[in-house]
Amino acid sequence: MQATSTIDAPTAAPLPGPPPRSWARAVADIRDGLRERELWSHLGWQDIKQRYRRSVIGPLWITISMAVTALALGILNAALFGTQIATVLPSITVGLIVWSFVSGCIMDGADTFIVNEGLIKHLPAPLMVYVLRTVWRQILLFAHNLVVYVLVCGIFIWAIDKPYHVIPNGITQPGLNWGIVLAIPAFALIVLNAGWVTVLFGIAATRFRDIPPVVQSFMTLIFYMTPIMWQADLLYTNGRTSSMAHLLALNPFYHVVEIIKAPLVGLQQSWTHWVVVGGFTIVGWALALLALRNYRARVSYWV
């Protein structure tokens, strides 16, 4: 008679660490991505250099393109609305620079994981590396475009360093003052929003490939509905607020643009813009963390 062992066979030990779908892994992805600063900063700068490879003046084309666009729109605005180019051109220039950054983060953010398919499948790096690569690239583009703002303000400083009107008989703007320093925390707040936008749109677009073209069409529509080529002062006549001004307040991009444009060109500043953008930052990152918790492990399969 053969003896049988009463000792149970060993069972497989559970994998160490939290499960794939956990808040801990989502937060760790963000933390580890921030630690890889050399990687994503290098990749972001290489994106700029690669775009203008073999070009004579290289990334300077970014600045030239923005300058030409701002000048053309400033002349057009002055001709259509009877404004002074000395006061309207700085406003249009800053509006275009901020819009270029915001729209770039949204549209490039939707393609973030799609265009990084090769790296995602072969490089064991946190997803936040590709998010930060996209945001850093847009920051570099913003820095190039900011040169245009410095040139425009240097030329027309005499018109905006004191109380002025953007449009004839419009609201009296205070002019450039020490409030210009508020542009620094304003840009930092927008960069924070760029992070969650890239995470959220990037994950959604990886799963549903129709999202990138939809986003591009949507951003074109929003561009014309946001006071960039035209001035918000047009909605305030004879000291009264029109119904369109109330609708404009529902446009989140209006608040995003204004928190930077107002201090940079000496416009009246409203804390409403800060409250709205701050609220979007909190809600947006909550949604981004939820998306990272539930779907970060699936991105490599979706791409």
Side-chain angles (χ1 to χ4, degrees):
M1 182 175 180
Q2 185 176 3
T4 58
S5 174
T6 57
I7 301 176
D8 296 334
T11 57
L15 293 176
R21 295 181 59 178
S22 67
W23 296 110
R25 286 189 179 272
V27 173
D29 193 283
I30 297 175
R31 182 184 64 247
D32 295 341
L34 290 171
R35 289 176 176 173
E36 297 288 346
R37 182 182 59 83
E38 292 186 2
L39 176 59
W40 51 259
S41 61
H42 173 75
L43 291 174
W45 180 243
Q46 284 299 116
D47 289 340
I48 302 294
K49 294 176 64 176
Q50 187 67 24
R51 180 180 300 182
Y52 297 96
R53 186 180 180 184
R54 297 192 179 93
S55 173
V56 177
I57 58 177
L60 190 59
W61 278 115
I62 302 171
T63 305
I64 294 175
S65 177
M66 178 59 66
V68 171
T69 303
L71 179 61
L73 291 178
I75 295 174
L76 179 63
N77 190 287
L80 290 177
F81 302 107
T83 56
Q84 293 185 358
I85 194 169
T87 56
V88 77
L89 185 56
S91 178
I92 290 178
T93 299
V94 175
L96 284 174
I97 292 173
V98 178
W99 176 261
S100 178
F101 176 79
V102 173
S103 62
C105 288
I106 293 176
M107 291 189 290
D108 285 0
D111 289 325
T112 291
F113 302 128
I114 297 174
V115 299
N116 285 290
E117 174 185 355
L119 289 176
I120 290 175
K121 290 183 175 180
H122 298 94
L123 180 66
L127 288 182
M128 282 302 296
V129 166
Y130 312 108
V131 172
L132 293 169
R133 174 186 185 177
T134 299
V135 175
W136 177 243
R137 180 172 66 246
Q138 294 302 322
I139 292 175
L140 293 175
L141 293 173
F142 180 86
H144 280 84
N145 289 331
L146 207 59
V147 176
V148 182
Y149 161 75
V150 175
L151 293 175
V152 170
C153 281
I155 296 172
F156 298 112
I157 186 66
W158 56 270
I160 61 175
D161 68 340
K162 55 184 179 297
Y164 69 98
H165 298 92
V166 179
I167 64 173
N169 302 319
I171 300 174
T172 300
Q173 308 296 343
L176 283 176
N177 51 55
W178 286 105
I180 194 173
V181 298
L182 288 175
I184 298 175
F187 181 68
L189 189 59
I190 291 181
V191 170
L192 281 176
N193 278 273
W196 72 258
V197 164
T198 304
V199 170
L200 207 58
F201 279 75
I203 292 177
T206 304
R207 178 63 179 87
F208 304 101
R209 298 301 175 93
D210 293 325
I211 288 182
V214 170
V215 167
Q216 292 179 6
S217 300
F218 177 77
M219 294 304 297
T220 302
L221 173 64
I222 292 296
F223 174 75
Y224 294 106
M225 297 176 62
T226 305
I228 298 171
M229 294 194 306
W230 53 278
Q231 304 303 308
D233 287 14
L234 294 170
L235 304 180
Y236 301 88
T237 57
N238 299 323
R240 294 180 300 176
T241 303
S242 67
S243 57
M244 291 300 297
H246 295 295
L247 291 177
L248 179 62
L250 299 177
N251 181 356
F253 294 92
Y254 164 61
H255 301 285
V256 170
V257 171
E258 284 297 314
I259 63 170
I260 290 189
K261 185 169 77 171
L264 286 180
V265 296
L267 300 180
Q268 287 187 3
Q269 302 184 45
S270 173
W271 289 105
T272 302
H273 304 316
W274 290 84
V275 172
V276 171
V277 178
F280 271 100
T281 305
I282 296 172
V283 174
W285 270 110
L287 294 175
L289 281 171
L290 182 62
L292 279 174
R293 173 188 179 274
N294 293 334
Y295 305 113
R296 59 173 295 279
R298 301 185 185 182
V299 171
S300 59
Y301 295 99
W302 287 341
V303 294

